[in-house]
Amino acid sequence: MTDHSKESGDNTSSKSDIWTSFKMVQAAPVQSISKVFRKREELHKLVAEQILLANNRSYAPMKSRWITEVDGNVRRVMVPKKIKKWWMLLPNGKVQVSVYFKSKRLELENGKNAIEINVKSELVSTLESIQRSIDLGDFDGFF
């Protein structure tokens, strides 16, 4: 067997050039990485739901619910899920869009928790831009 290390008295110089070319770092815990991706995916789905709501005012996602009838029969029925709009139309015609995560409005910058757009027709494109920003990891610090 061939010894590829340089013969020397100290440990640091006994490594090969390939070994020294590696950038050594502390490994990130797998659990924290998966948490960030899970929260990012959840926020991504919430924004996708807002895009559907902005495109179609009659959009109502359904959820199943168990109800007990008067005669004691229990059955599952589909009921509309309550969704809160993330945007608000201002009296001057502009629109403010807030981002919510777990029913809390996110503070996007210090003291600022909404994005202002000029007209409602820009709402869907703004929500899509927010979605791309989430995918790029811009919202990871808000969780």
Side-chain angles (χ1 to χ4, degrees), residues 11 20-21 26 30-31 33-34 50 52 68 72 74 79 84 95 111 122 130:
N11 255 352
T20 57
S21 70
Q26 180 69 29
V30 175
Q31 186 178 16
I33 293 173
S34 64
Q50 291 296 315
L52 290 172
T68 305
V74 179
V79 295
K84 179 177 184 170
V95 178
E122 297 175 2
I130 291 171

Side-chain angles (χ1 to χ4, degrees), residues 34-44 101 143:
S34 64
K35 264 188 211 175
V36 169
F37 283 119
R38 194 170 49 244
K39 289 179 181 182
R40 190 185 293 179
E41 183 63 30
E42 186 178 343
L43 187 57
H44 189 275
F101 186 72
F143 308 126

Side-chain angles (χ1 to χ4, degrees), residues 5-116:
S5 63
K6 298 176 185 173
E7 299 278 334
S8 178
D10 61 290
N11 255 352
T12 56
S13 64
S14 66
K15 305 291 183 185
S16 70
D17 293 335
I18 296 170
W19 181 263
T20 57
S21 70
F22 295 141
K23 180 183 177 184
M24 305 298 182
V25 296
Q26 180 69 29
V30 175
Q31 186 178 16
S32 68
I33 293 173
S34 64
K35 264 188 211 175
V36 169
F37 283 119
R38 194 170 49 244
K39 289 179 181 182
R40 190 185 293 179
E41 183 63 30
E42 186 178 343
L43 187 57
H44 189 275
K45 286 179 184 177
L46 291 171
V47 174
E49 204 168 60
Q50 291 296 315
I51 292 171
L52 290 172
L53 188 61
N55 280 331
N56 182 6
R57 289 187 51 114
S58 64
Y59 171 72
M62 303 298 273
K63 66 179 181 178
S64 63
R65 181 175 223 160
W66 291 95
I67 62 164
T68 305
E69 295 175 347
V70 177
D71 58 356
N73 291 335
V74 179
R75 64 184 179 108
R76 186 176 6 186
V77 295
M78 299 300 285
V79 295
K81 200 162 85 171
K82 294 178 184 174
I83 299 179
K84 179 177 184 170
K85 289 189 317 186
W86 288 4
W87 64 90
M88 179 178 22
L89 195 58
L90 300 176
N92 62 2
K94 294 187 178 190
V95 178
Q96 284 185 348
V97 181
S98 297
V99 179
Y100 289 84
F101 186 72
K102 296 196 176 190
S103 72
K104 289 184 182 175
R105 184 182 293 178
L106 297 179
E107 187 172 337
L108 305 174
E109 287 183 358
N110 285 340
K112 299 177 182 174
N113 55 11
I115 300 168
E116 187 174 82

Side-chain angles (χ1 to χ4, degrees), residues 36-37 39-40 43 133-143:
V36 169
F37 283 119
K39 289 179 181 182
R40 190 185 293 179
L43 187 57
S133 181
I134 291 167
D135 291 339
L136 294 173
D138 296 335
F139 282 76
D140 290 349
F142 297 124
F143 308 126

